[in-house]
């Protein structure tokens, strides 16, 4: 296997393990008796640890090399999986999610850089696009694999994490055998700072923040509350089907980026938000119709639309920002997505679910998404006037969708 192929395998194996827990949430909820609000904290704790890790530890690979950071992240994730194997109580579960978030924040950016560093000359754009696709693919495989194990294995709360420890050991061996790519070490101090270049602030706040919040909120709901909805509201008792919700929302978002590789960013964002707002209504309609297939189809369609919004946001960052500002804008966009969708808004949906019921809470989400999509399309996208190159202009090197 080529160097790029081996690094890709490490990326997918790591990503898979961070979302194995998704289809198990209803099992934990049944065993421990916590509310829907608490269910959203499984993602909230993950993100609260991920964001500062992403802002600081991602820089560390420029100082000490990629391999050291990757091996440290793999070891940290192994600690979280080992904690989950003990079947801890709620504090232990949330602590494990926080440890997973810390590992993820250090890993994804570093592994993406490691993948691009090792690509043959002229293939860097392909490697960058491969990394973007593979993160979502790996995160989607986690719920799919976890759901199958939960349904058909004798020990569903332990076996997924035991198997993943073996996968992490394989990944560590692969990383250890690959050559280091950072030979000139940076001496810049580590900082915990979010920077948005002045020239792109209007686009950031009017387009990137609202669209990033909405698409990641759809993802967050699918990874935390939709499994509960399938079990409690629709009576699904097959956990392979429960895991399909997380699998579909993420993998369909990866596939849609391949199907529409050259869609203009403004069309991807505006159209993706509009489609997601409409298709998310299907999840709400599945409750009175008692149709799990409708719910899963709606989750898949919403995930595909959300994937286009994400692609549009990344493309927009790379197109409007000069190379010296591109990294700062991309980092700020990632943080806006994680904090915007996986924190307070997701917690609000959980609280609504406890107060008025999960179906009504999901209906409120669809309504809010429709308002946000309309505002972004009518008001936000106007801030792009004169900033984007005309149709047909090649995407800059390193932008998603190349290759």
């Amino acid at each position: 296997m080529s160097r790029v192929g081996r690094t890709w395998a490490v990326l997918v194996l790591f990503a898979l393990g961070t979302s194995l827990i998704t289809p198990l949430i209803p099992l934990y909820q049944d065993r421990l008796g916590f509310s829907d609000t608490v269910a959203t904290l499984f993602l909230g704790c993950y993100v609260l640890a991920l964001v500062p890790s992403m802002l600081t530890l991602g820089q560390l690979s420029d100082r000490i090399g990629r391999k050291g950071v990757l091996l440290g992240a793999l070891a940290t994730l192994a600690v979280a999986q080992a904690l989950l194997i003990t079947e801890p109580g709620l504090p232990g579960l949330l602590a494990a999610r926080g440890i997973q978030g810390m590992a993820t924040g250090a890993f994804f950016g570093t592994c993406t850089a490691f993948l691009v560093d090792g690509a043959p000359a002229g293939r860097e754009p392909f490697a960058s696009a491969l990394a973007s696709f593979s993160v979502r693919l790996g995160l989607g495989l986690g719920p799919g694999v976890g759901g199958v194990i939960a349904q058909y294995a004798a020990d569903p709360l332990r076996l997924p994490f035991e198997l993943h420890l073996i996968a992490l050991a394989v990944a560590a061996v692969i990383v250890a055998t690959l050559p280091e790519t950072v030979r000139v070490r940076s001496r810049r101090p580590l900082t915990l700072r979010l920077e948005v270049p002045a020239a792109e602030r209007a686009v950031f706040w009017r387009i990137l923040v609202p669209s990033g919040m909405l698409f990641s909120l759809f993802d967050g709901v699918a990874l935390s509350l939709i499994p509960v909805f399938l079990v409690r509201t629709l009576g699904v008792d097959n956990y392979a089907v429960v895991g399909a919700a997380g699998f579909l929302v993420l993998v369909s978002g990866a596939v849609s980026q391949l199907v529409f590789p050259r869609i203009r960013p403004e069309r991807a964002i505006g159209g993706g938000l509009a489609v997601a707002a409409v298709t998310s209504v299907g999840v709400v309609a599945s409750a009175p119709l008692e149709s799990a297939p409708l719910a899963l189809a709606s989750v898949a369609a919403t995930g595909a639309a959300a994937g286009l919004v994400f692609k549009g946001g990344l493309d927009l960052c790379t197109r409007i920002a000069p190379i010296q500002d591109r990294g700062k804008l991309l980092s700020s966009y990632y943080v806006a997505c994680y904090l915007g969708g996986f924190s307070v808004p997701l917690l609000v949906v959980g609280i609504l679910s406890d107060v008025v019921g999960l179906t009504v809470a999901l209906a409120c989400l669809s309504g809010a998404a429709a308002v946000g999509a309309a505002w972004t399309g009518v008001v936000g996208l106007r801030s792009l006037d004169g900033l984007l190159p005309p149709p047909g202009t090649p995407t800059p090197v390193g932008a998603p969708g190349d290759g």
Side-chain angles (χ1 to χ4, degrees):
M1 184 183 291
S2 69
R3 173 177 176 155
V4 168
R6 284 179 287 167
T7 308
W8 171 83
V10 171
L11 182 60
V12 173
L13 287 174
F14 183 98
L16 184 153
T18 64
S19 55
L20 276 172
I21 200 170
T22 295
L24 307 180
I25 292 176
L27 289 174
Y28 288 123
Q29 190 176 42
D30 182 61
R31 191 185 72 167
L32 300 175
F34 53 79
S35 66
D36 291 348
T37 301
V38 172
T40 65
L41 294 179
F42 277 70
L43 270 176
C45 290
Y46 176 81
V47 171
L48 286 177
L50 180 148
V51 170
S53 175
M54 179 178 290
L55 290 176
T56 55
L57 297 182
Q59 307 169 47
L60 191 60
S61 69
D62 293 331
R63 295 170 60 91
I64 68 171
R66 312 286 189 219
K67 290 176 60 174
V69 175
L70 291 177
L71 290 171
L74 289 166
T76 303
L77 184 58
V79 170
Q81 310 303 60
L83 177 57
L84 290 169
I85 288 171
T86 67
E87 297 187 39
L90 182 59
L93 290 174
L94 297 180
R97 287 299 278 162
I99 296 171
Q100 287 182 340
M102 184 185 304
T104 301
F107 182 87
F108 280 151
T110 303
C111 196
T112 297
F114 198 48
L115 185 65
V116 175
D117 291 346
R123 298 292 287 170
E124 294 90 350
F126 166 78
S128 177
L130 177 65
S132 175
F133 166 81
S134 300
V135 167
R136 201 169 177 94
L137 174 66
L139 290 173
L141 287 174
V145 172
V148 171
I149 294 174
Q151 178 62 31
Y152 300 109
D155 201 354
L157 297 183
R158 294 170 58 93
L159 184 60
F161 307 109
E162 291 171 342
L163 293 176
H164 193 248
L165 281 178
I166 298 174
L168 289 176
V170 172
V173 170
I174 294 174
V175 171
T177 58
L178 289 170
E180 177 59 66
T181 59
V182 176
R183 296 178 177 85
V184 178
R185 309 297 168 87
S186 170
R187 296 183 180 275
R188 290 177 300 174
L190 298 181
T191 60
L192 180 58
R193 185 170 57 187
L194 181 66
E195 294 186 56
V196 180
E200 289 83 41
R201 283 175 188 164
V203 173
F204 181 77
W205 291 109
R206 295 180 186 178
I207 301 176
L208 294 174
V209 168
S211 64
M213 287 178 61
L214 286 171
F215 101 76
S216 58
L217 181 56
F218 284 125
D219 284 355
V221 168
L223 292 171
S224 58
L225 293 176
I226 294 298
V228 176
F229 176 79
L230 290 170
V231 171
R232 192 170 67 206
T233 304
L234 300 183
V236 174
D237 57 7
N238 186 312
Y239 282 87
V241 176
V242 174
F247 172 82
L248 288 171
V249 74
L250 291 168
V251 173
S252 64
V255 172
S256 66
Q257 296 178 46
L258 297 180
V259 174
F260 300 100
R262 304 202 179 277
I263 187 172
R264 295 273 295 174
E266 66 272 30
R267 293 184 62 187
I269 293 172
L273 286 178
V275 170
V278 172
T279 55
S280 65
V281 176
V283 177
V284 180
S286 70
L289 295 175
E290 298 181 350
S291 174
L294 175 59
L296 291 176
S298 300
V299 165
T302 302
L308 288 181
V309 176
F310 178 53
K311 180 185 185 305
L314 291 178
D315 283 350
L316 186 55
C317 289
T318 60
R319 285 173 181 250
I320 67 172
I323 191 168
Q324 67 270 19
D325 288 339
R326 193 170 296 153
K328 290 187 286 187
L329 189 59
L330 281 167
S331 296
S332 299
Y333 177 59
Y334 273 112
V335 171
C337 292
Y338 278 114
L339 282 182
F342 288 170
S343 56
V344 176
L346 182 60
L347 186 63
V348 169
V349 177
I351 293 171
L352 277 175
S353 175
D354 288 329
V355 174
V356 298
L358 186 48
T359 302
V360 176
L362 293 175
C364 292
L365 170 62
S366 294
V371 172
W375 187 91
T376 303
V378 174
V379 178
L381 290 177
R382 289 182 180 176
S383 61
L384 290 177
D385 291 345
L387 287 178
L388 286 180
T393 303
T395 302
V397 172
D402 279 359

